[in-house]
Amino acid sequence: MCAVRTSRRRSGPTVARSSTRPTSRDVAQAAGVSQAAVSLVLGDKWRGRVSEATAERVREAARDLGYRPNLAARNLRLGHTRTVLLVVPALTTEFFAGVYTGAARVAADHGFGVVLYPSPEGIGPARDPFASAQAALDGVIASSMAADALTAIRGDQLPLVMLDSDPSGSLGAATVNLDIADGVRQVAAHLLGLGHRRFLHLAADVPSWTFEVRARELAARLAAVPGTSVRTAHAPISIDGALTAAETALAAPGPRPTALVCDDDKLAAGAYKAVRRLGLRIPDDISVTGLDDLALATALDPELTTVRLDAELFGERGMQALLAVLEGRTPQAGDIPVELVVRGSTAPPSTS
């Protein structure tokens, strides 16, 4: 048993540490409450059952003692692991690192852990990361670009939240999306407002709903303005792939596009190289836009006009939706807003 002494400088108890591992009984004694109250507070089920002051006293006692619940025993007793799998495309940009950060932060606040699992090559079947995913996990959050990996790991048989996925055809119990369509609308309105009428769309060569939305929305917005034309060049999501595709498209016969709309910032970086290889200048000869607002966007010269996606908020909302599904609640509705960030890569088209 750990000895307790009261400190005049603190509102809660000060606990002398013991060489033995503290128990919930020690926490209860230090806080002056029952073990049942300790269980409620540390299990985040105290609201409406104990006061805020009591809950804080229990948390402080647990911190002072260095108490950690025996999660293995608790999970065995309750029949779940409080572990979530986050399945994303291969980690080729910092965007999905941000998604993980946001998801893990919300998970930690609710006593869950998050295992990050990049699907090989971003799409296609993936090896089961556990002997039995169903036995080891409470739920799955998955990006649409990694959806094909779910069958291989049997994640589609668990409580599932889909990110960046068609709500009408989602595999999941809930879907969380960024408002990508509005991001494309903002890009189109910005470039049209500058006077651009000849466009090249550098499209990600990935069979995914989120990229279908980009193409569909851009085509619709440009078609609504008389005298506007758009060509499409497909490229893998890599700088070298974008360089090759953009250079070929820009060197093709016919009037050269004055605005190049890229599906993401990495494609835009490849487009920059293609433009300069052809002896053109950004934005004097051609304007370029991206979509993501990665750190790369401000490393380019000139800095890239792009759509800011809040990756951490995306991850937070995904985890909050999964928690709602697990608890039988309705997840928060509505897409996450996005914002066009105008920088030096866009300007009115040259009159020459």
Side-chain angles (χ1 to χ4, degrees):
M1 195 67 66
C2 297
V4 179
R5 64 178 182 271
T6 302
S7 170
R8 295 179 181 177
R9 292 174 298 172
R10 301 181 61 179
S11 58
T14 300
V15 182
R17 296 190 180 275
S18 166
S19 60
T20 60
R21 177 173 177 167
T23 66
S24 61
R25 182 177 298 176
D26 296 329
V27 176
Q29 182 180 10
V33 299
S34 67
Q35 281 185 264
V38 171
S39 179
L40 288 171
V41 173
L42 299 185
D44 199 27
K45 298 179 180 178
W46 59 271
R47 293 170 183 81
R49 296 182 176 181
V50 301
S51 69
E52 174 71 46
T54 298
E56 179 54 34
R57 197 162 69 246
V58 169
R59 287 190 289 263
E60 184 177 357
R63 286 194 299 267
D64 287 345
L65 282 164
Y67 172 75
R68 296 290 183 274
N70 187 334
L71 295 180
R74 183 182 69 178
N75 293 337
L76 181 62
R77 182 173 67 255
L78 297 179
H80 56 69
T81 63
R82 300 184 77 81
T83 302
V84 170
L85 187 69
L86 175 60
V87 184
V88 299
L91 296 177
T92 54
T93 73
E94 78 241 30
F95 179 79
F96 288 104
V99 172
Y100 170 79
T101 298
R105 182 163 52 237
V106 172
D109 288 343
H110 292 80
F112 277 75
V114 177
V115 177
L116 180 62
Y117 186 63
S119 173
E121 305 305 322
I123 58 174
R127 181 178 56 82
D128 189 342
F130 301 98
S132 172
Q134 287 176 284
L137 299 167
D138 288 336
V140 176
I141 304 171
S143 161
S144 64
M145 286 187 287
D148 289 344
L150 294 175
T151 301
I153 64 173
R154 289 183 285 172
D156 55 346
Q157 300 174 40
L158 289 160
L160 172 65
V161 167
M162 292 297 299
L163 306 179
D164 239 5
S165 180
D166 184 355
S168 64
S170 175
L171 298 169
T175 304
V176 176
N177 284 322
L178 294 152
D179 198 345
I180 295 296
D182 184 57
V184 174
R185 286 193 289 270
Q186 292 181 51
V187 167
H190 172 64
L191 292 172
L192 289 167
L194 290 173
H196 292 280
R197 295 297 182 267
R198 297 195 305 273
F199 292 81
L200 173 63
H201 178 204
L202 190 57
D205 191 14
V206 176
S208 171
W209 174 84
T210 187
F211 292 121
E212 292 171 3
V213 168
R214 290 160 165 81
R216 184 170 60 245
E217 194 63 33
L218 181 64
R221 292 291 149 177
L222 299 184
V225 178
T228 299
S229 64
V230 59
R231 289 186 289 164
T232 300
H234 292 91
I237 303 180
S238 70
I239 292 176
D240 286 344
L243 164 62
T244 300
E247 184 176 15
T248 300
L250 291 173
R256 189 176 64 238
T258 63
L260 203 170
V261 179
C262 302
D263 269 357
D264 83 346
D265 292 356
K266 183 175 283 189
L267 293 179
Y272 268 52
K273 296 182 74 171
V275 168
R276 285 171 178 154
R277 183 173 289 186
L278 292 169
L280 303 174
R281 297 165 299 167
I282 300 171
D284 304 76
D285 300 309
I286 188 166
S287 289
V288 180
T289 64
L291 202 154
D292 273 340
D293 199 27
L294 306 176
L296 175 65
T298 54
L300 295 172
D301 183 24
E303 294 187 356
L304 180 66
T305 294
T306 186
V307 176
R308 178 171 295 157
L309 309 180
D310 192 332
E312 291 193 19
L313 179 59
F314 197 24
E316 289 177 3
R317 283 279 298 276
M319 188 65 213
Q320 288 165 351
L322 182 57
L323 290 171
V325 169
L326 293 173
E327 295 170 7
R329 296 183 286 108
T330 301
Q332 179 179 348
D335 292 346
I336 299 170
V338 302
E339 174 190 8
L340 178 68
V341 181
V342 178
R343 299 193 179 100
S345 68
T346 51
S350 172
T351 56
S352 60

